[in-house]
Amino acid sequence: LRTRARGLGRRFPEGFVWGAATAAPQIEGSVSAEGRTPSIWDTFARIPGTVAGGDTLDDADDHFRRWRDDISLMRDLGIGAYRFSVAWPRIVPGSDGVPNRGGLDFYDRLVDELLASGIDPFVTLYHWDLPQWQQDAGGWAARSTAYRFVEYATHVTDRLGDRVRHWTTLNEPWVYVFLGHLLGVHAPGERSEAPAVRAMHHSLLAHGLGVQALRTALPVDSHVGIALSMSPTEPATPEADDVAAAERNDLYRNWLFLHPITRGEYHPLTGELFAEPIPIHSGDLEAIAEPIDFVGINYYARAVVRADESVAVTRAQETRPDGTYTAMGWEVYPQGIADIVAQTHARYAPEAIYITENGSAWDDEPAADGSIVDRERVAYLLGHLDAATQSTDAGLPLRGYFAWSLMDNFEWAEGYTKRFGIVGVDYATQLRTVKQSGAVYREVLAAHREAAGDEGKPARP
Ligand code: GBH
């Protein structure tokens, strides 16, 4: 295993960024500390039946208090970059828009300590924790949310812009827009098309206006992008109707957001997906297409689609091919990571691509001595890294990889029952244990560092 990990590490190009990712609502806890007010997930989790086991964000990984230890852990793993999100309701706790010093101070210290540890901070501005006060003003279905997002982003860049070089506007808008507004399984729990279509457009607008604001606020050597959920989508059979269904599903799932961001217009087939009108104002599409420096891909699994006249394209049309499935019920399909990078490059040729998330949940069983030998996660990790070398070998601009997740955390509707960490968390004691997958990742990173002689070199875009 060690040999395989070390061999893999050596196959990545010089300057390749190795990271781990988290998100504020999933790890921080301390939900009312230093002036934080509730987010839509605090509210949603309190509705009976929404989150497994009635779990809430209240304690999570207690990272808000243990952040220093968590950075030591990253240092111990040899991680070169840390992707985390800033909690909007910590920065702007109320509708008066006044920034909150206590919230800003937290991320200020975090960034300083990361830099002092030689870890490059990758900041995500929005990872699903809309302030409840803004939901009360209409949430993503309201245009004002895009403007409030820009004000919030500006407070963050005012404080961190001198030290953070990589910025992501939104994490997976597709997921919070459709799971949150059409399917109702994520916050805010709405179930109809009108708010979903509006949330889609206002998210794109928030992204575009956010990029413009970031460009104004940040030094020129800063890199700005977005992280999108992507599942390469294939037809279940070569039959024409399956192929057609897969094509529409592919557009819906993978390119709905990236197309307007890179082209300045919605994909021509977007109108066929929705009956509700998209609330476009003049100038919106230009703003949405403000150039970005990188696309972040969050890759977990592929989708294999068959035609089904009885369901809309925006509902599941997936089949379940034979294979290995994670505890989330997602197929293990390493080739998909190379496929989706190739497809993204072929369609939109972004300057740089990062895998901003990749990982898997399994029912980890700690051994009697407390160690966690997570064989399936090790296999998933190595399999996906192996496949990712297809992209770098082909000369595609894949610049980095972030494991999801640094540590077990609040897995949204699944609560704390699903574990994605390469580090285990015992929620009763908050004890962290590096899993075998974490140890293997450490080997990959060490081998890459030695082979590329990367020590001390700054990361590339
Ligand atoms: C991400 O969402 C989130 O950014 C992160 O916060 C979260 O904890 C993590 O992933 C794990 O869930 O049905 O087989 O085609 C990922 C959401 C996962 C949505 C994969 C689409 C398709 C799998 N995506 N899913 S499949």
Side-chain angles (χ1 to χ4, degrees), residues 231-237 242 245-246 249 253 301-307 316-322 325 331 333:
S231 310
T233 300
E234 309 166 18
T237 76
D242 285 345
N249 213 271
R253 197 185 286 274
R302 70 170 167 176
V304 180
V305 167
R306 73 183 140 61
Q317 293 189 312
E318 285 158 41
T319 60
R320 209 180 139 93
D322 288 341
Y325 286 80
E331 187 192 7
Y333 188 67

Side-chain angles (χ1 to χ4, degrees), residues 37-49:
T37 57
S39 74
I40 54 174
W41 268 94
D42 295 273
T43 309
F44 185 69
R46 287 196 153 70
I47 304 169

Side-chain angles (χ1 to χ4, degrees), residues 22-23 25-26 83 127-128 171-172 174-175 179 186 227 229-233 253 298-304 318-319 325 328-331 356-361 404-405 409-412 414 418 420:
T22 64
Q26 296 180 271
R83 174 173 180 253
H127 202 126
W128 307 357
N171 180 72
E172 298 190 349
W174 185 89
V175 172
L179 272 54
H186 278 193
S229 58
M230 289 196 190
S231 310
T233 300
R253 197 185 286 274
N298 295 353
Y299 173 71
Y300 290 89
R302 70 170 167 176
V304 180
E318 285 158 41
T319 60
Y325 286 80
M328 296 294 284
W330 302 341
E331 187 192 7
T356 34
E357 289 180 25
N358 173 243
S360 56
W404 184 272
S405 175
N409 58 48
F410 176 79
E411 178 49 33
W412 309 112
E414 308 292 336
K418 295 290 185 284
F420 277 89

